[in-house]
mmCIF file of all heavy atoms in Angstrom:
data_model
loop_
_atom_site.group_PDB
_atom_site.id
_atom_site.type_symbol
_atom_site.label_atom_id
_atom_site.label_comp_id
_atom_site.label_asym_id
_atom_site.label_seq_id
_atom_site.Cartn_x
_atom_site.Cartn_y
_atom_site.Cartn_z
ATOM 1 N N VAL R 76 3.604 12.454 4.479
ATOM 2 C CA VAL R 76 4.546 12.045 3.435
ATOM 3 C C VAL R 76 3.868 11.012 2.542
ATOM 4 O O VAL R 76 3.184 10.109 3.030
ATOM 5 C CB VAL R 76 5.833 11.459 4.059
ATOM 6 C CG1 VAL R 76 6.735 10.847 2.999
ATOM 7 C CG2 VAL R 76 6.574 12.546 4.825
ATOM 8 N N LYS R 77 4.053 11.143 1.227
ATOM 9 C CA LYS R 77 3.436 10.230 0.266
ATOM 10 C C LYS R 77 4.418 9.135 -0.142
ATOM 11 O O LYS R 77 5.637 9.310 -0.081
ATOM 12 C CB LYS R 77 2.988 10.990 -0.983
ATOM 13 C CG LYS R 77 2.023 12.132 -0.710
ATOM 14 C CD LYS R 77 0.719 11.629 -0.116
ATOM 15 C CE LYS R 77 -0.260 12.783 0.114
ATOM 16 N NZ LYS R 77 -1.505 12.320 0.774
ATOM 17 N N VAL R 78 3.857 8.014 -0.578
ATOM 18 C CA VAL R 78 4.656 6.872 -1.017
ATOM 19 C C VAL R 78 4.088 6.340 -2.326
ATOM 20 O O VAL R 78 2.870 6.230 -2.473
ATOM 21 C CB VAL R 78 4.664 5.742 0.029
ATOM 22 C CG1 VAL R 78 5.585 4.602 -0.411
ATOM 23 C CG2 VAL R 78 5.087 6.272 1.395
ATOM 24 N N ARG R 79 4.957 6.022 -3.281
ATOM 25 C CA ARG R 79 4.548 5.376 -4.524
ATOM 26 C C ARG R 79 4.702 3.867 -4.377
ATOM 27 O O ARG R 79 5.629 3.395 -3.720
ATOM 28 C CB ARG R 79 5.433 5.823 -5.697
ATOM 29 C CG ARG R 79 5.572 7.308 -5.907
ATOM 30 C CD ARG R 79 6.502 7.560 -7.092
ATOM 31 N NE ARG R 79 6.769 8.969 -7.300
ATOM 32 C CZ ARG R 79 7.832 9.617 -6.822
ATOM 33 N NH1 ARG R 79 8.725 8.939 -6.106
ATOM 34 N NH2 ARG R 79 8.007 10.896 -7.053
ATOM 35 N N PHE R 80 3.810 3.110 -5.057
ATOM 36 C CA PHE R 80 3.863 1.655 -4.999
ATOM 37 C C PHE R 80 3.727 1.089 -6.410
ATOM 38 O O PHE R 80 2.731 1.352 -7.089
ATOM 39 C CB PHE R 80 2.738 1.093 -4.136
ATOM 40 C CG PHE R 80 2.741 1.569 -2.711
ATOM 41 C CD1 PHE R 80 2.022 2.693 -2.338
ATOM 42 C CD2 PHE R 80 3.454 0.888 -1.740
ATOM 43 C CE1 PHE R 80 2.001 3.130 -1.024
ATOM 44 C CE2 PHE R 80 3.453 1.310 -0.419
ATOM 45 C CZ PHE R 80 2.736 2.439 -0.063
ATOM 46 N N ALA R 81 4.690 0.297 -6.830
ATOM 47 C CA ALA R 81 4.626 -0.376 -8.126
ATOM 48 C C ALA R 81 4.639 -1.881 -7.907
ATOM 49 O O ALA R 81 5.478 -2.405 -7.170
ATOM 50 C CB ALA R 81 5.795 0.041 -9.010
ATOM 51 N N LEU R 82 3.717 -2.567 -8.560
ATOM 52 C CA LEU R 82 3.619 -4.020 -8.473
ATOM 53 C C LEU R 82 4.006 -4.635 -9.809
ATOM 54 O O LEU R 82 3.529 -4.200 -10.854
ATOM 55 C CB LEU R 82 2.193 -4.447 -8.121
ATOM 56 C CG LEU R 82 1.572 -3.849 -6.855
ATOM 57 C CD1 LEU R 82 0.151 -4.352 -6.691
ATOM 58 C CD2 LEU R 82 2.417 -4.179 -5.641
ATOM 59 N N GLY R 83 4.867 -5.637 -9.761
ATOM 60 C CA GLY R 83 5.238 -6.370 -10.958
ATOM 61 C C GLY R 83 4.851 -7.825 -10.801
ATOM 62 O O GLY R 83 5.280 -8.493 -9.856
ATOM 63 N N VAL R 84 4.004 -8.310 -11.698
ATOM 64 C CA VAL R 84 3.569 -9.712 -11.651
ATOM 65 C C VAL R 84 4.359 -10.498 -12.688
ATOM 66 O O VAL R 84 4.445 -10.108 -13.850
ATOM 67 C CB VAL R 84 2.057 -9.830 -11.944
ATOM 68 C CG1 VAL R 84 1.624 -11.292 -11.911
ATOM 69 C CG2 VAL R 84 1.259 -9.011 -10.937
ATOM 70 N N GLY R 85 4.948 -11.603 -12.265
ATOM 71 C CA GLY R 85 5.738 -12.404 -13.193
ATOM 72 C C GLY R 85 6.561 -13.441 -12.450
ATOM 73 O O GLY R 85 6.283 -13.763 -11.292
ATOM 74 N N THR R 86 7.576 -13.924 -13.103
ATOM 75 C CA THR R 86 8.433 -14.954 -12.524
ATOM 76 C C THR R 86 9.747 -14.351 -12.040
ATOM 77 O O THR R 86 10.034 -13.170 -12.278
ATOM 78 C CB THR R 86 8.734 -16.047 -13.564
ATOM 79 O OG1 THR R 86 9.336 -15.433 -14.718
ATOM 80 C CG2 THR R 86 7.456 -16.760 -13.984
ATOM 81 N N LEU R 87 10.537 -15.169 -11.367
ATOM 82 C CA LEU R 87 11.878 -14.789 -10.933
ATOM 83 C C LEU R 87 12.897 -15.689 -11.622
ATOM 84 O O LEU R 87 12.635 -16.867 -11.852
ATOM 85 C CB LEU R 87 12.025 -14.912 -9.421
ATOM 86 C CG LEU R 87 11.259 -13.921 -8.544
ATOM 87 C CD1 LEU R 87 11.465 -14.269 -7.072
ATOM 88 C CD2 LEU R 87 11.695 -12.493 -8.825
ATOM 89 N N ASP R 88 14.052 -15.130 -11.913
ATOM 90 C CA ASP R 88 15.155 -15.922 -12.466
ATOM 91 C C ASP R 88 16.076 -16.432 -11.369
ATOM 92 O O ASP R 88 16.977 -17.237 -11.629
ATOM 93 C CB ASP R 88 15.975 -15.076 -13.455
ATOM 94 C CG ASP R 88 15.176 -14.679 -14.679
ATOM 95 O OD1 ASP R 88 14.241 -15.432 -15.031
ATOM 96 O OD2 ASP R 88 15.474 -13.629 -15.277
ATOM 97 N N THR R 89 15.848 -15.960 -10.161
ATOM 98 C CA THR R 89 16.676 -16.335 -9.014
ATOM 99 C C THR R 89 15.783 -16.938 -7.929
ATOM 100 O O THR R 89 14.569 -16.719 -7.927
ATOM 101 C CB THR R 89 17.395 -15.101 -8.448
ATOM 102 O OG1 THR R 89 16.405 -14.108 -8.106
ATOM 103 C CG2 THR R 89 18.365 -14.521 -9.460
ATOM 104 N N PRO R 90 16.354 -17.666 -6.990
ATOM 105 C CA PRO R 90 15.542 -18.200 -5.885
ATOM 106 C C PRO R 90 14.968 -17.076 -5.028
ATOM 107 O O PRO R 90 15.539 -15.988 -4.940
ATOM 108 C CB PRO R 90 16.548 -19.037 -5.083
ATOM 109 C CG PRO R 90 17.656 -19.341 -6.030
ATOM 110 C CD PRO R 90 17.749 -18.159 -6.942
ATOM 111 N N ILE R 91 13.839 -17.339 -4.395
ATOM 112 C CA ILE R 91 13.251 -16.384 -3.457
ATOM 113 C C ILE R 91 14.101 -16.344 -2.197
ATOM 114 O O ILE R 91 14.486 -17.375 -1.661
ATOM 115 C CB ILE R 91 11.806 -16.784 -3.115
ATOM 116 C CG1 ILE R 91 10.914 -16.616 -4.351
ATOM 117 C CG2 ILE R 91 11.273 -15.941 -1.958
ATOM 118 C CD1 ILE R 91 9.515 -17.148 -4.157
ATOM 119 N N ASN R 92 14.403 -15.147 -1.749
ATOM 120 C CA ASN R 92 15.143 -14.959 -0.510
ATOM 121 C C ASN R 92 14.124 -14.768 0.618
ATOM 122 O O ASN R 92 13.482 -13.731 0.707
ATOM 123 C CB ASN R 92 16.048 -13.731 -0.622
ATOM 124 C CG ASN R 92 16.927 -13.528 0.605
ATOM 125 O OD1 ASN R 92 16.637 -14.041 1.683
ATOM 126 N ND2 ASN R 92 17.996 -12.772 0.455
ATOM 127 N N PRO R 93 13.950 -15.756 1.491
ATOM 128 C CA PRO R 93 12.921 -15.657 2.525
ATOM 129 C C PRO R 93 13.296 -14.767 3.704
ATOM 130 O O PRO R 93 12.457 -14.499 4.566
ATOM 131 C CB PRO R 93 12.757 -17.109 2.978
ATOM 132 C CG PRO R 93 14.109 -17.715 2.761
ATOM 133 C CD PRO R 93 14.663 -17.054 1.535
ATOM 134 N N LYS R 94 14.531 -14.299 3.740
ATOM 135 C CA LYS R 94 14.993 -13.491 4.868
ATOM 136 C C LYS R 94 15.007 -11.995 4.576
ATOM 137 O O LYS R 94 14.687 -11.186 5.446
ATOM 138 C CB LYS R 94 16.389 -13.955 5.293
ATOM 139 C CG LYS R 94 16.400 -15.388 5.829
ATOM 140 C CD LYS R 94 17.794 -15.778 6.308
ATOM 141 C CE LYS R 94 17.776 -17.191 6.882
ATOM 142 N NZ LYS R 94 19.127 -17.600 7.380
ATOM 143 N N GLN R 95 15.393 -11.633 3.341
ATOM 144 C CA GLN R 95 15.429 -10.232 2.943
ATOM 145 C C GLN R 95 15.081 -10.136 1.464
ATOM 146 O O GLN R 95 15.419 -11.036 0.692
ATOM 147 C CB GLN R 95 16.819 -9.613 3.149
ATOM 148 C CG GLN R 95 17.304 -9.536 4.556
ATOM 149 C CD GLN R 95 18.645 -8.826 4.623
ATOM 150 O OE1 GLN R 95 18.720 -7.600 4.685
ATOM 151 N NE2 GLN R 95 19.718 -9.593 4.603
ATOM 152 N N SER R 96 14.427 -9.040 1.084
ATOM 153 C CA SER R 96 14.088 -8.856 -0.325
ATOM 154 C C SER R 96 15.251 -8.198 -1.061
ATOM 155 O O SER R 96 15.164 -7.064 -1.559
ATOM 156 C CB SER R 96 12.816 -8.018 -0.460
ATOM 157 O OG SER R 96 11.700 -8.772 -0.094
ATOM 158 N N ILE R 97 16.341 -8.924 -1.125
ATOM 159 C CA ILE R 97 17.521 -8.478 -1.860
ATOM 160 C C ILE R 97 18.077 -9.692 -2.620
ATOM 161 O O ILE R 97 17.760 -10.837 -2.315
ATOM 162 C CB ILE R 97 18.608 -7.893 -0.933
ATOM 163 C CG1 ILE R 97 19.024 -8.929 0.125
ATOM 164 C CG2 ILE R 97 18.118 -6.618 -0.254
ATOM 165 C CD1 ILE R 97 20.187 -8.471 0.986
ATOM 166 N N GLY R 98 18.888 -9.415 -3.636
ATOM 167 C CA GLY R 98 19.552 -10.478 -4.369
ATOM 168 C C GLY R 98 18.636 -11.269 -5.286
ATOM 169 O O GLY R 98 19.001 -12.355 -5.733
#
Side-chain angles (χ1 to χ4, degrees):
V76 172
K77 303 297 182 184
V78 184
R79 307 179 184 95
F80 301 92
L82 305 178
V84 179
T86 57
L87 291 176
D88 295 333
T89 57
I91 292 173
N92 184 340
K94 296 183 178 181
Q95 296 184 85
S96 287
I97 57 174

